[in-house]
Amino acid sequence: GVAVAFEDRVATTVDTTTVEFNKLDDATIEWYIATGEAHDKAGGYAMQGGGGLFVARIVGSPSNVVGLPLHVLATLAASIGTDLARFRV
């Protein structure tokens, strides 16, 4: 789920992404666990790291898998009358 609030306006939505994994053998799973990469990941893998080796297909937003669907964020911001570019440093 994503929510954007600006002044007195709020917009929310849900973005869904499906990730299909390759079949993994026990040795590969043990290797990945031993890397420690999965220990602090909500889904137990890092698509942008070593876990990306296991991803066969993504249907939807890759940035949603990593943590925040950026295209959705920009669309919601625009829907309540603000442009994220105005907040650039």
Side-chain angles (χ1 to χ4, degrees), residues 14-57:
V14 173
D15 193 46
T16 302
T17 303
T18 301
V19 180
E20 181 181 316
F21 289 88
N22 295 313
K23 185 168 176 60
L24 303 177
D25 60 28
D26 290 345
T28 302
I29 294 168
E30 289 174 18
W31 166 81
Y32 189 64
I33 291 169
T35 70
E37 184 177 87
H39 296 166
D40 65 347
K41 306 298 180 279
Y45 73 101
M47 186 179 78
Q48 71 279 21
L53 295 169
F54 314 136
V55 176
R57 185 172 88 133

Side-chain angles (χ1 to χ4, degrees), residues 12 14 18 26-27 41 65 69 75 86 88:
T12 63
V14 173
T18 301
D26 290 345
K41 306 298 180 279
V65 176
T75 299
R86 74 183 274 211
R88 286 185 292 200

Side-chain angles (χ1 to χ4, degrees), residues 2 4 11-13 69-84:
V2 181
V4 174
T12 63
T13 193
L70 299 175
H71 67 289
V72 170
L73 180 65
T75 299
L76 285 177
S79 79
I80 61 172
T82 192
D83 181 358
L84 295 180

